[in-house]
Amino acid sequence: SCVREWAERDPDRVAVVGDRVLTYGEVWEEARRLGGALQRDGIEPGEYLLAILNNSWQGIVLEVASSIIGAVFTPRSPHMSPTLAANVFEQLDVKGLVIYADLLRNPEWLDTFKRMVAEIPGRPVVLQGDVSQAELGSSHPTLETLAVEGPAVDPVAVHPTAPSLVLATGGTTGT
């Protein structure tokens, strides 16, 4: 991974600038911990991890973590509709979900979230940001917590042609 190479070569070099500044060394270590937490909670190489996130450092760390454990990172915009999110979830046979917590303040998103969670019992469901756990009816860790507290893992070997990322437009391109 390019991030790993930079983390080894120049760990103090700035990699991410935003609401938090991270060096390559920090991105790599947090991704190893987040990947370890996702792996511990059942994500296996080749499985789809749906990430409905805003643009942030957490998304970058999550993408690197997904590559470390061989998961297929599937980012989507929090501006998509809950119906479209549910369709993507079903079509890809998603095994893990990471979602921007503020979305869950919307009743339609909260209902969709609860249906998705029911489809993947015992699998990782992680929040980006904070929301009342009582409101959700279940308890879920945050990306921020797992990136610090998860067990650090080394990259798994995956076939060079194995998918690692699924990108799609939300229809905004006109095609």
Side-chain angles (χ1 to χ4, degrees), residues 66-67 70-74 162-166:
S66 295
S67 73
V72 182
F73 183 63
T74 311
S164 62
L165 176 68
V166 174

Side-chain angles (χ1 to χ4, degrees), residues 82-141:
T83 302
L84 182 56
N87 289 341
V88 168
F89 184 88
E90 290 170 13
Q91 289 173 355
L92 294 178
D93 191 27
V94 168
K95 299 298 183 189
L97 175 65
V98 181
I99 191 165
Y100 182 47
D102 282 352
L103 290 175
L104 305 179
R105 290 177 170 72
N106 172 311
E108 189 179 357
W109 263 110
L110 183 58
D111 288 344
T112 300
F113 171 77
K114 288 180 178 179
R115 285 194 310 274
M116 288 181 191
V117 170
E119 292 287 322
I120 54 172
R123 299 299 228 131
V125 176
V126 183
L127 302 176
Q128 177 194 32
D130 219 0
V131 68
S132 165
Q133 301 288 333
E135 212 176 309
L136 300 180
S138 54
S139 179
H140 305 287

Side-chain angles (χ1 to χ4, degrees), residues 33-57:
R33 292 186 184 290
L34 179 55
L38 294 169
Q39 192 177 60
R40 174 196 65 210
D41 293 343
I43 293 292
E44 297 181 16
E47 291 185 333
Y48 291 88
L49 180 65
L50 179 59
I52 305 170
L53 306 174
N54 65 356
N55 292 332
S56 66
W57 67 267

